[in-house]
Amino acid sequence: MAQHVEIRRYRSEDAGATLAVFLDAVTVTAAADYSPEQISAWARPQQRNSHAWNREMSDRNSYVALVDGAVTGFSDVTATGHIHMMFVSSRHARRGVASALLGRMETEAWTTGATALSADASITARPFFAHHGFVVVAEQIPAPAGVPMTNFHMVKDIHEPRGQG
């Protein structure tokens, strides 16, 4: 069931909530597609803190998704159209949050002159990105904390967003 999703720029006070969304999305949602060892290497909750997380989020063009005033997801996009992260809490999965975030990231990328979006999508996220017009250009095997895991470099050409120009 779709819900009203508000998208706004990331703020420092969002650090704890976005870190919680990340950990939930990795340890709950992605756990269906990756081994416990891979999930542990990816999430690394014992090595994360909200201060360092805030610094990383602030350094990127980050946005948060809110439902009823609560942070339910987040994403970012570079001026060249690369989406570094897009995560949604497991409680709000498949309810329009990621689609709303992607729409905003596409608009942001277009306004900076990007003509394509790219993402390194997890096995879990691959169907979502494919549904939204991304195609796989390479299967990759990064090894966070020395643990190999599969993801997919995906791209999508973008065009002038509707209602603009």
Side-chain angles (χ1 to χ4, degrees), residues 28-44:
V28 177
T29 308
D33 297 308
Y34 293 95
S35 73
E37 181 185 26
Q38 290 170 320
I39 293 298
S40 178
W42 186 3
R44 297 186 317 271

Side-chain angles (χ1 to χ4, degrees), residues 109-148:
W110 176 261
T111 62
T112 63
T115 58
L117 288 175
S118 66
D120 295 326
S122 66
I123 293 169
T124 310
R126 179 182 174 177
F128 166 80
F129 283 104
H131 176 77
H132 288 278
F134 285 73
V135 295
V136 173
V137 294
E139 182 173 326
Q140 306 174 125
I141 314 271
V147 179

Side-chain angles (χ1 to χ4, degrees), residues 88-104:
V88 173
S89 73
S90 61
R91 287 187 6 210
H92 291 87
R94 294 177 173 78
R95 296 174 71 188
V97 175
S99 294
L101 281 164
L102 183 59
R104 182 63 175 266

